[in-house]
Amino acid sequence: MNAPHASKVSEINSTVPAPAHTAPPASPAPETPADPRPAQAPHTLPAPAGPHRPPGALLQDRLAGWVCGLTALHELTERLARTDEVDDALRELLRAGAVLVGARRGLAVLEPEDGLGPDTTVGLGLSRADLGCLETVPRDAMPHAPLLDAAAGPPGGDREAVRPDLFAEPGLDPRHREVAARLGYAASYALPLSAEGAGRLGAALWLYDEPAEPSARQRRLAGLYVRCAAEHLGRLLERHRTRACMTTLYEELLPSRLPRVPGVQLAARRRTGPRGGGDWYDALPLPDAALGLAVGSVTGAGPGAVAAAGRLRASLRAYAVMEGEDPVAVLSDLELLLRLTEPARRATALFAYCEPALRRVTVAGAGHSPPLLVGERRTEFVETSLSAPLGMLACWEAPSVEFQAAAGETVLLYTDGLLHRTGDPADRAFARLHAAAAGVPRALRGDPGAVADHVLRTVLPDGLDASGGVEDVALLAVRFE
């Protein structure tokens, strides 16, 4: 269960220092008299050979040791700065801290004092079973508990928790003693994680296999590194919360569930870009057993685009209930509203009036990509008329298109983000989408969700969560029975 030793970084040895009460291994006695000079501190450069040393040599050794340590510190902080996720930053913090304090294992606990989360625990050289075993120890008995429960001090404070020999402590909790013996650690060193503005974020704990503690120099270097890491974690935490908030807001603006309408099956897939965007979809029951289907996209990204998409979707719902049988009238009203209330905003939209009993669909689009009809005998784009996006013309109007679907065929409505994420020109992106739909296996055609998943996997081989996927994607699949 022990992890391999961390590698050496810039002359800092990551191995566990020998405990103070353990005798070093015997070696042949030198012929020369013993050197009266004090022993070297761990991790400093070796002293020059020879019986005599020039004046100031000890100071030079110390300065050289600090230069070596600061160089390593610079490399470790640069590596930390390249992390862009909270969990990745915690793992890098543990790895670098283990090198600095001479430990092999450790864990970082993230518990922001504002209570807004996320709360998480990341281990170094500890399996999930090991972390679960540590969780059975009473919280107040863990070495880092005082750092988690105390009020946050200044980021530059000197608070630390040193337990050089756990089994020698008379008041050690019995459960902690049992877990420490099972996992094979005998000492620990912990530092708080606190950032200016964010307050207390958590604590980092490193575990030693034998009784030991870091030297004063190791503590200073580790303290400097952890302060820098805490500030970086604070920034990542703020970004993580912003993304989570945007995702929640976006989800609340979309339908919580798709309606159940006789004669059709519905499925939807969507993914929000890292900044949050304005792609949306909707499906709502209409009078006379009809169904309204819509997809759209608002220009821009961030909270403004998400809010604008929510307003656009809510307005389209109202117009669809009043005059949904005429998709052109629905989009004309929507264009007028957008032009009067948000003249600087541009949007695309597609609205379809669906009659499931007749398998008939009437569709109109405003600058939006055409629907794709997928069936056993055909896979083709519906030829909608070319039109400008909403908000670009003084008066928008374009003819609608009516088409008939056969039993078992699926209509795909999608946003332009699906095409943009391919990175191809428009004609090649449309060709890729058409080929993906035509290649849906026969066994999957009865499930609109499976059809949507297959199309997404084929069009986007790297997946919707690819790091380069900055565009929103929304896909609505409608299968006629």
Side-chain angles (χ1 to χ4, degrees):
M1 302 178 69
N2 291 337
H5 287 270
S7 58
K8 296 174 70 175
V9 177
S10 293
E11 302 301 328
I12 293 185
N13 192 343
S14 62
T15 56
V16 181
H21 60 269
T22 303
S27 59
E31 296 296 329
T32 57
D35 192 342
R37 289 179 284 107
Q40 277 188 302
H43 309 311
T44 57
L45 295 177
H52 303 291
R53 304 186 65 200
L58 182 59
L59 178 59
Q60 290 178 1
D61 287 350
R62 290 179 177 176
L63 289 176
W66 268 106
V67 169
C68 174
L70 292 176
T71 300
L73 199 61
H74 176 71
E75 294 177 0
L76 294 174
T77 52
E78 279 192 336
R79 190 177 301 173
L80 174 71
R82 289 194 288 269
T83 59
D84 55 5
E85 296 293 339
V86 173
D87 284 356
D88 293 340
L90 289 174
R91 292 187 183 93
E92 179 60 27
L93 162 67
L94 287 175
R95 191 203 65 79
V99 172
L100 293 172
V101 302
R104 291 197 314 115
R105 292 178 290 173
L107 70 154
V109 180
L110 189 67
E111 289 185 9
E113 65 176 337
D114 57 13
L116 300 179
D119 294 350
T120 186
T121 300
V122 174
L124 171 71
L126 297 171
S127 65
R128 288 188 177 183
D130 296 338
L131 293 176
C133 193
L134 286 168
E135 289 178 354
T136 65
V137 179
R139 178 186 173 93
D140 57 357
M142 289 298 293
H144 58 289
L147 304 180
L148 290 174
D149 298 331
D158 294 327
R159 294 179 302 132
E160 59 182 5
V162 186
R163 307 280 289 273
D165 192 346
L166 290 171
F167 296 106
E169 297 178 6
L172 185 64
D173 182 86
R175 179 57 185 166
H176 190 190
R177 181 185 298 274
E178 178 184 348
V179 170
R182 179 183 302 177
L183 299 185
Y185 68 88
S188 66
Y189 179 68
L191 286 172
L193 300 175
S194 59
E196 187 175 358
R200 189 193 71 236
L201 301 178
L205 172 71
W206 291 275
L207 305 173
Y208 296 94
D209 296 347
E210 301 291 340
E213 62 179 296
S215 66
R217 177 171 171 270
Q218 288 176 314
R219 293 184 188 183
R220 286 193 293 270
L221 289 174
L224 290 172
Y225 177 81
V226 168
R227 292 167 202 164
C228 175
E231 295 296 332
H232 181 64
L233 275 171
R235 292 188 291 270
L236 292 182
L237 183 63
E238 182 179 359
R239 190 172 70 178
H240 172 84
R241 289 175 173 177
T242 301
R243 284 204 305 258
C245 181
M246 289 296 302
T247 301
T248 302
L249 176 62
Y250 191 75
E251 289 175 349
E252 292 297 322
L253 292 176
L254 294 176
S256 57
R257 63 182 180 85
L258 295 173
R260 294 184 178 180
V261 178
V264 294
Q265 295 175 297
L266 301 175
R269 300 291 185 267
R270 67 113 187 106
R271 184 69 77 250
T272 308
R275 296 173 54 199
D279 285 19
W280 55 275
Y281 67 88
D282 203 358
L284 68 155
L286 296 176
D288 301 325
L291 179 66
L293 305 169
V295 290
S297 177
V298 175
T299 56
V306 174
R311 292 191 295 269
L312 203 66
R313 171 177 168 263
S315 301
L316 184 140
R317 278 193 154 219
Y319 298 141
V321 170
M322 294 187 294
E323 47 192 2
E325 69 279 358
D326 185 358
V328 172
V330 172
L331 293 183
S332 296
D333 293 342
L334 194 64
E335 194 277 337
L336 178 61
L337 177 69
L338 186 67
R339 181 159 45 87
L340 292 177
T341 59
E342 300 183 68
R345 185 77 66 180
R346 301 291 180 267
T348 65
L350 186 144
F351 179 74
Y353 180 76
C354 175
E355 300 171 272
L358 302 176
R359 301 193 194 97
R360 185 167 58 197
V361 181
T362 305
V363 62
H368 205 82
S369 299
L372 181 58
L373 189 59
V374 183
E376 290 285 345
R377 298 184 178 180
R378 59 175 175 172
T379 299
E380 59 188 26
F381 290 101
V382 177
E383 294 294 337
T384 56
S385 57
L386 295 175
S387 61
L390 301 176
M392 291 190 66
L393 300 178
C395 180
W396 181 91
E397 186 170 343
S400 60
V401 175
E402 182 179 300
F403 65 93
Q404 194 82 22
E409 289 187 327
T410 300
V411 178
L412 296 179
L413 310 180
Y414 52 93
T415 59
D416 293 341
L418 177 60
L419 305 174
H420 294 161
R421 280 205 183 197
T422 64
D424 293 335
D427 56 343
R428 292 184 59 185
F430 276 114
R432 178 183 290 190
L433 175 59
H434 184 278
V440 175
R442 179 174 297 180
L444 302 180
R445 292 181 182 270
D447 181 1
V451 172
D453 292 335
H454 175 84
V455 168
L456 290 173
R457 284 195 304 267
T458 308
V459 174
L460 306 175
D462 294 333
L464 285 172
D465 295 318
S467 58
V470 298
E471 297 278 350
D472 286 8
V473 174
L475 178 65
L476 183 61
V478 186
R479 182 182 182 274
F480 291 88
E481 298 176 346

